[in-house]
Amino acid sequence: MKINSIQVYGYSMHFDPEAIQDLILQLDYPYTQGSQDSALLQLLEIRDRVNRLSPPGAQPLDLFSCLLRHRLKLSTTDVARIQAALQTFSAKQPHSIEYETTKLCS
């Protein structure tokens, strides 16, 4: 079965698991430094869009980690490594803000 969209709490977005997996592969095996930065920027955008699907509350839920863990079947270690890479990259960006979410799944 191929999943083309994701719906959470009444909101939906396009979902392309192969494209996300390709971006994750570029983190480990970048063609150039620019391609790794581009992959990180795209993953940051995906993370922000997915986490915006969480219901209103004090802090958004970390739906992106759940997507990586349960839809893409990544290990907990891989999810933590990707989140750490995104956090490090985000901190280097101009106008970076602290990204806080509530952990939803392991």
Side-chain angles (χ1 to χ4, degrees):
M1 176 193 315
K2 187 169 185 170
I3 299 169
N4 292 325
S5 65
I6 206 169
Q7 184 168 0
V8 181
Y9 301 111
Y11 299 97
S12 63
M13 70 176 285
H14 179 73
F15 178 71
D16 186 356
E18 290 85 19
I20 296 171
Q21 288 173 332
D22 287 345
L23 291 173
I24 292 167
L25 279 175
Q26 285 186 37
L27 299 181
D28 297 328
Y29 308 105
Y31 304 117
T32 63
Q33 179 61 34
S35 70
Q36 188 176 36
D37 290 351
S38 174
L40 285 163
L41 281 171
Q42 290 177 59
L43 284 170
L44 282 172
E45 179 66 23
I46 293 168
R47 180 188 71 179
D48 292 345
R49 287 181 182 212
V50 167
N51 287 343
R52 270 190 239 134
L53 296 174
S54 78
Q59 271 187 332
L61 298 174
D62 188 9
L63 299 174
F64 181 69
S65 290
C66 293
L67 178 136
L68 294 176
R69 181 80 176 102
H70 300 291
R71 293 287 186 171
L72 298 180
K73 306 293 186 213
L74 297 179
S75 69
T76 306
T77 307
D78 287 338
V79 172
R81 181 179 54 79
I82 292 164
Q83 289 286 25
L86 290 174
Q87 189 69 23
T88 302
F89 182 77
S90 180
K92 294 177 184 176
Q93 300 305 305
H95 310 294
S96 68
I97 57 170
E98 188 66 30
Y99 195 80
E100 297 276 334
T101 57
T102 302
K103 189 172 182 176
L104 183 62
C105 53
S106 58

